[in-house]
Every structure is written in structure tokens, then in C-alpha cells.
Amino acid sequence: MSDARSGGGAFLSDIKTLRSRAREHIAQGAVTPGYHADRSVVLKLLNEALATEIICTLRYKRHYFMAQGIHAEGVAEEFLQHAQEESQHADQIASRITQLGGAPDFSPDGLASRSHAEYVEGHSLEEMIKEDLIAERIAIDSYREMIQYLGAEDSTTRRMLEEILAKEEEHADDLARLLEGIGGH
Ligand SMILES: [Fe+2]
Ligand SMILES: [Fe+2]
């Protein structure tokens, strides 16, 4: 008797094999033998992304409080919302790192050098918006590269990064419009 898998080229393992493999490697948590990406590279990339999100959270917080001081309430609210969303991204990434059996790096030592984007305070409202836009564009490029690198090797991480990337594009768009609104370019 032949089954669907005997023809070669099958990609589905039978349930019994899946179950016994799951029992064998249970200590590895969510990382099963079917995980094809290079885990140490993925963890390193995710920790860099985590540092980037923490730096972006801090920069937006600073800009939020400083913009309030110069009576730019509308812009300040946008900064605050971005700060909250970057912080959510950091949490999502940290959670995925632990799922993959790694440890999220929250250490303040070397945080700025692990981050892709920079922490720039900016003196005027226009400078703050510009620096945030630059940081978003850096984040967009680095997420795009990570997504490309992951391909089909780790689709869960890839999907999470795609979601985050969409949000960063939204942030960049918000900032471009704010810059236009205050007459900067
Ligand atoms: Fe983010
Ligand atoms: Fe962002």
C-alpha cells in the first residue's frame, strides 16, 4: 500500500515521528529539529533589534518631554505614541528571543553600540523630528535585511519582524508629515 509520502518529495513528517521528536527534544522549548535557521545568528540579530527598539523608546521619550516644554503638543503626542510602540516592539522581540532559547540583552552597557539607530537629542522640534525620521529609516532597512535573511528558515520570527517593519514605515510616514507640517524638509 502506498501513501502520499512514498512518492518522494514529501515535506510532511508523519504524526508519530513529529510526536516522538517533540518528546526527545522537549528541553529545547519552541526550538524543534525542524528549525532550519542558524539560531545563534538569529539570536544575535534579534538582540541588536532589541537594542535598537530600546534606544528608539528612550529617544522618543526624551523628545516627548522636550516637545511638551516648547508647546508642541500635537507633535509631543505623536512622540509619546511612537515611544509606546517601540517599547512594545522591544517586548515582542525579547519574548521571541526567549522562545528561541536565548537571553534578551537589556544591559545598559554597550546598548548604544548594539543598536542600529542612534540616540540623538536634537535641539529644535525640527531637529528632533529629523533625527527620529533618520532612525526609522535605519530601522526599516535593517528589518528588511533581517526578513530577507530569514526567508523561509524561521517564519515565526519573520512574520513578527514584518509586522514591526509595517509599523516602522507608518512611523516614518507620520514623521515626514509632521516635518512638512512645521515647514521643515
Ligand atoms: Fe520599533
Ligand atoms: Fe518606529
Side-chain angles (χ1 to χ4, degrees):
M1 205 174 86
S2 76
D3 63 27
R5 299 179 61 247
S6 59
F11 57 90
L12 290 172
S13 305
D14 64 68
I15 291 172
K16 222 178 117 199
T17 310
L18 281 177
R19 285 183 181 161
S20 72
R21 274 200 320 223
R23 282 180 190 281
E24 245 176 87
H25 303 289
I26 202 151
Q28 291 171 18
V31 183
T32 65
Y35 185 82
H36 292 305
D38 182 334
R39 212 167 54 96
S40 64
V41 174
V42 174
L43 288 173
K44 185 179 169 286
L45 292 173
L46 288 177
N47 264 316
E48 286 173 10
L50 174 61
T52 305
E53 296 292 352
I54 296 169
I55 288 289
C56 288
T57 305
L58 295 173
R59 196 193 54 254
Y60 275 124
K61 282 263 186 186
R62 155 86 187 193
H63 290 179
Y64 164 61
F65 286 104
M66 292 305 282
Q68 273 189 324
I70 50 178
H71 306 292
E73 275 83 10
V75 180
E77 287 312 309
E78 199 71 48
F79 289 158
L80 179 61
Q81 198 198 328
H82 287 197
Q84 287 161 347
E85 285 165 349
E86 308 303 11
S87 170
Q88 281 165 15
H89 294 164
D91 289 351
Q92 278 175 276
I93 293 166
S95 154
R96 183 60 186 155
I97 289 172
T98 57
Q99 264 182 3
L100 290 174
D105 190 351
F106 280 97
S107 170
D109 291 335
L111 178 65
S113 54
R114 290 196 303 279
S115 165
H116 298 143
E118 290 170 293
Y119 178 91
V120 181
E121 295 179 342
H123 300 293
S124 63
L125 196 60
E126 183 177 341
E127 263 180 49
M128 291 183 216
I129 300 172
K130 274 185 178 163
E131 287 303 331
D132 290 332
L133 182 52
I134 291 167
E136 293 292 351
R137 290 173 63 89
I138 292 169
I140 287 168
D141 272 345
S142 69
Y143 281 126
R144 262 198 208 124
E145 272 179 35
M146 285 174 71
I147 288 162
Q148 235 164 29
Y149 169 79
L150 287 169
E153 310 281 277
D154 178 344
S155 51
T156 307
T157 303
R158 198 197 63 227
R159 275 202 310 275
M160 175 191 75
L161 296 179
E162 281 168 349
E163 223 180 88
I164 295 176
L165 171 62
K167 191 50 89 176
E168 309 304 6
E169 287 178 348
E170 215 180 286
H171 288 171
D173 194 48
D174 292 342
L175 293 163
R177 269 186 287 119
L178 285 178
L179 201 57
E180 246 179 58
I182 64 159
H185 44 77

